[in-house]
Amino acid sequence: MDNRNNVTVFILLGLSQNKNIEILYFVLFLLCYIVIWVGNLLIMISITCSPLVDQPMYFFLNCLSLSDLCYTSTVVPKLMTDLLAERKTISYNNCMTQLFILHFLGGIEIFILTGMAYDRYVAICKPLHYIIIMSRQKCYRIIIACCTGAFVHSASQFLLIIFLPFCGPNEIDHYFCDVYPLLELACTDTYGIGLLVVVNSGLIALVTFVILMASYFMILYAIRTSPAEGRAKALSTCSSHITVVVLFFVPALFIYIRPATTFPEDKVLALFYTIIAPMFNPLIYTLRNMEMKNALRKVWCQKLCLTGSQVI
């Protein structure tokens, strides 16, 4: 325990050591963060203020948008602050807190995407029983299960790391605290813990990804004989969901499914599931979804009309 306390502060090496490039990254990530907030808030307000809030798919989309906002806010503000700082540091306690919250919110996102896939499977493959199966109580239970599963996943990751001794190097070759970079700094043999991390993170991500893709392929197989209009709507919905799944899962699988080693490319790949996927989620779900576009128009046109009438 005393050895562990020898390191009270970690140094984050970040994405670059070049100050000009860091300023460029700061502007780029600031714009991305603004897009994430504006896009996800638009979705949440539009769904909440429209009849779509009663539909299970949009209930889950609302939860996904909230999860995206919280998830990116765990990483991006610290990243932008460090890009302008001379010395990028994070305390031991804050590092462990970031690790826990990041995996907790990431787990919620993964499981919500699974819930959305289940919802689409029931809607398309069992339409006559959809209202009964996907009741609001069932939706609440799914979200509770997502949070519970994410907590178990994150707590187990946290417990694997919190008892490791950190007594030597304190430079983390990343822009946030994650499991594999921390394992490399531990003053003990971490081979067994690395295998547990693969099972906890990599295997969960792989199994979830396979289940998600299998469910969407089953949906696509089921709609092959449907009328053209219904098939086009189902294809549009499923393609947007598959795009989000691929953006989030493929980089995460590359990082977590292998043994406990780190590569320079990991930092770039991590940008996909910490910034890029949450930024594109609102665009993917609105541009490919006529119901969302109609809801956006109705809600915001009404608000503009009300504002205009009050001014007059």
Side-chain angles (χ1 to χ4, degrees), residues 106-256:
I108 289 176
E109 187 143 344
I110 285 174
F111 296 133
I112 287 177
L113 289 171
T114 308
M116 294 175 75
Y118 175 69
D119 170 72
R120 288 301 83 201
Y121 171 78
V122 175
I124 294 170
C125 298
K126 299 182 179 180
L128 298 179
H129 302 93
Y130 178 70
I131 296 176
I132 298 172
I133 295 175
M134 295 304 298
S135 63
R136 183 46 57 101
Q137 289 76 18
K138 180 71 168 287
C139 292
Y140 286 141
R141 285 198 294 269
I142 290 174
I143 292 300
I144 292 171
C146 291
C147 294
T148 304
F151 179 81
V152 171
H153 158 70
S154 184
S156 57
Q157 294 280 70
F158 179 77
L159 291 173
L160 287 173
I161 300 298
I162 194 70
F163 294 111
L164 288 177
F166 295 99
C167 51
N170 66 337
E171 290 187 344
I172 298 176
D173 189 17
H174 216 304
Y175 60 90
F176 63 89
C177 288
D178 204 4
V179 180
Y180 284 167
L182 287 170
L183 287 180
E184 289 196 337
L185 300 182
C187 303
T188 187
D189 181 18
T190 59
Y191 179 76
I193 294 175
L195 291 179
L196 291 175
V197 171
V198 171
V199 172
N200 188 21
S201 289
L203 205 58
I204 287 176
L206 179 62
V207 171
T208 307
F209 180 69
V210 170
I211 291 172
L212 285 168
M213 297 308 294
S215 66
Y216 285 122
F217 281 126
M218 288 170 66
I219 290 170
L220 294 174
Y221 181 79
I223 63 172
R224 72 193 188 285
T225 57
S226 301
E229 184 179 349
R231 188 164 62 247
K233 183 179 178 181
L235 282 171
S236 177
T237 302
C238 289
S239 61
S240 63
H241 288 206
I242 291 171
T243 304
V244 170
V245 167
V246 170
L247 270 176
F248 190 91
F249 275 89
V250 172
L253 283 171
F254 178 81
I255 292 174
Y256 292 112

Side-chain angles (χ1 to χ4, degrees), residues 85-113:
E86 289 296 326
R87 188 173 172 84
K88 308 170 182 63
T89 61
I90 185 169
S91 69
Y92 176 87
N93 290 337
N94 287 344
C95 182
M96 295 301 120
T97 302
Q98 186 184 57
L99 175 72
F100 176 82
I101 295 175
L102 192 70
H103 278 270
F104 175 62
L105 295 171
I108 289 176
E109 187 143 344
I110 285 174
F111 296 133
I112 287 177
L113 289 171

Side-chain angles (χ1 to χ4, degrees), residues 281-300:
N281 281 358
L283 296 174
I284 292 168
Y285 283 117
T286 53
L287 295 179
R288 300 295 301 272
N289 191 315
M290 188 58 66
E291 288 180 325
M292 268 305 305
K293 285 192 280 189
N294 290 336
L296 283 167
R297 276 194 289 265
K298 287 179 182 178
V299 170
W300 295 103

